[in-house]
Amino acid sequence: MNNRYWILAAFILAKFLLQYLFFNPEYDLQRDEFLHLDQANHLAWGFLSVPPLTSWISFIIKALGNSVFWVRFFPALFGALTIIIVWKAIEELKGNLFALILGATCILFSSLLRLNTLYQPNSFDVLSWTALYFILIKYFNSDKLRWLYIGSFVFAIGFLNKYNIVFLLIGLVPAVLLTNHRKVYILKDFYFALFLGFLFIFPNLWWQYSNNFPVFIHLSHLAETQLAHVSRLNFLKEQVFFILGSFPVIVAAIYALFFYKPFEKFKHFGYSFFFTLIVFVYFKAKGYYAIGLYPIYISFGSVFLSEWIKPELKKYFQTALVSIPIICYSLLFDIAFSIKSPKHYIANSDKYKALGLLRWEDGKDHSLPQDFADMLGWKELAYKVDSIYSSLPNRENTLILCDNYGQAGAINYYSRYNVKAVSFNADYINWFDLSPNYVNFIRIKESEEVNYELTVTSPYFKSARISGFITNEYSREFGTTILLFTEPTININERIQAEILRKKIKH
């Protein structure tokens, strides 16, 4: 094996080791992960929250045993593949060994370390952005039409993972128009490749159409509840934070794309960088939506810097450039990863508040970073529900109804009884099984609404009581209560079916 590839193999090994080491067993999986894992049990061409690819990966994880090892493996794998593509892009740009090491180091010690700890569509999203940009480099370097078809397929897979990749095209299309490469838009193969890509994504588009385009409902809800609290200035600040270790390399890339002669044929990447960021800023996107933009620019910057540094200064500059991302992420270690206990973060809350890490999607500051608070209390909830469930007569006829998808997904993932908790929230509204004749009703309710739930629901049951609640004070779900209703005086199935219909009509 070429010595270069031994070095690449070392980076890949380091990637997997770091992703498994940066994990504190005090934390459970994160709220969104439970929903994505549960999609394996309801395979479809689309979901209210995401396109279908995540459910296919979840199905593989389930087939492998559904353990936390495999849940963490796939995001780490997508991160490792991102390193490989950046490596290959540097080779395509004729970068030397130092450029390869610099590029791989910038990717390894980057925000991807945090992103790749979570089983969400974001890791594959970054991979698909990087892969599509790499394919464009291959095409514009060779003019071989096969890369247009490969690019169309990669875009389709990225689209089936997360619609966010559309922003790549929005930024790229006008950028290409500003260069001599605009001739690609008159090629028949370009449009035939687009058509083939459309065929790949058509089943998902048809699912959206058949379900009244829930993606727009989801985006509207997102805009009202989360994006309304996003500041455009904060978005730009977050970009600097995300690329802090590789900031000099990315700045060098932007300069080189406009002024470095060997990169003249890639000037459209320079325009695209700014167009894409402008679109994200305009739509007040969350900061992490743009992370997929940066890996390919690390490739350009690494190659440029490896050639630009004067020979007599190479030793010092090379050491500094490789050290910066490592130092940055060693300094950010305890704020970027859930490696420390919740008590540590609360004891040092002023530090994290100053960095904006305690601000949640509701626009308010809390005691823990939201992602960390979203990784606590789930096992406790599931085990307490199991304890109640196991003591019930006719337990197979028990409906477990939750307030949100995190509660339902966590119960379904951790339960030892293979229960199927549901919710009127997110995709769970389509996953109710009304075939059993329910005679027991377990209601998972957020703390502030417990009294109201008891008042409204108790008249329909002979027995109603509080049977437990989440006691982990650091959890976002702290105080979430388990209510048990038995001996119904109404038909539970009919009441739930009517409520499902009402919710769907409302949305």
Side-chain angles (χ1 to χ4, degrees), residues 33 47 54 103 150 160 192 265 294 301 341 381 407 422 452 459:
E33 294 179 286
F47 298 91
T54 302
I150 296 171
L160 292 176
F192 192 56
K265 68 170 70 173
Y294 302 113
S341 70
L381 173 63
Q407 298 162 356
V422 288
Y452 175 79

Side-chain angles (χ1 to χ4, degrees), residues 269-433:
F269 277 96
Y271 295 126
S272 180
F273 180 86
F274 292 106
F275 288 158
T276 305
L277 280 181
I278 288 169
V279 173
F280 276 131
V281 169
Y282 176 78
F283 284 105
K284 298 180 68 175
K286 295 182 182 180
Y288 69 84
Y289 288 5
I291 292 178
L293 181 63
Y294 302 113
I296 206 66
Y297 291 90
I298 288 173
S299 302
F300 286 110
S302 297
V303 174
F304 171 69
L305 288 171
S306 68
E307 298 295 330
W308 174 75
I309 301 171
K310 294 179 180 180
E312 63 270 20
L313 299 175
K314 271 192 176 182
K315 179 180 178 181
Y316 305 103
F317 270 94
Q318 288 179 351
T319 302
L321 287 168
V322 172
S323 299
I324 289 172
I326 299 173
I327 293 170
C328 284
Y329 269 84
S330 64
L331 294 174
L332 297 173
F333 181 78
D334 70 332
I335 65 174
F337 308 100
S338 54
I339 195 72
K340 300 290 182 70
S341 70
K343 290 181 180 179
H344 167 83
Y345 296 107
I346 291 170
N348 297 276
S349 60
D350 288 344
K351 169 185 174 183
Y352 302 115
K353 183 177 181 179
L355 292 168
L357 297 173
L358 300 183
R359 186 172 294 272
W360 288 9
E361 290 173 343
D362 60 7
K364 301 176 183 177
D365 286 328
H366 296 263
S367 58
L368 274 184
Q370 181 172 312
D371 270 349
F372 299 170
D374 268 338
M375 298 165 70
L376 296 167
W378 302 118
K379 284 182 183 177
E380 179 188 359
L381 173 63
Y383 295 163
K384 285 182 175 178
V385 168
D386 269 1
S387 177
I388 297 165
Y389 178 83
S390 65
S391 67
L392 292 174
N394 300 314
R395 66 188 187 193
E396 65 278 3
N397 292 338
T398 300
L399 176 65
I400 303 174
L401 180 63
C402 303
D403 263 2
N404 61 60
Y405 64 81
Q407 298 162 356
I411 292 169
N412 293 344
Y413 182 79
Y414 288 120
S415 173
R416 292 162 291 186
Y417 291 97
N418 195 32
V419 301
K420 295 300 178 189
V422 288
S423 172
F424 294 124
N425 180 231
D427 297 296
Y428 283 95
I429 196 168
N430 293 321
W431 297 346
F432 279 78
D433 179 8

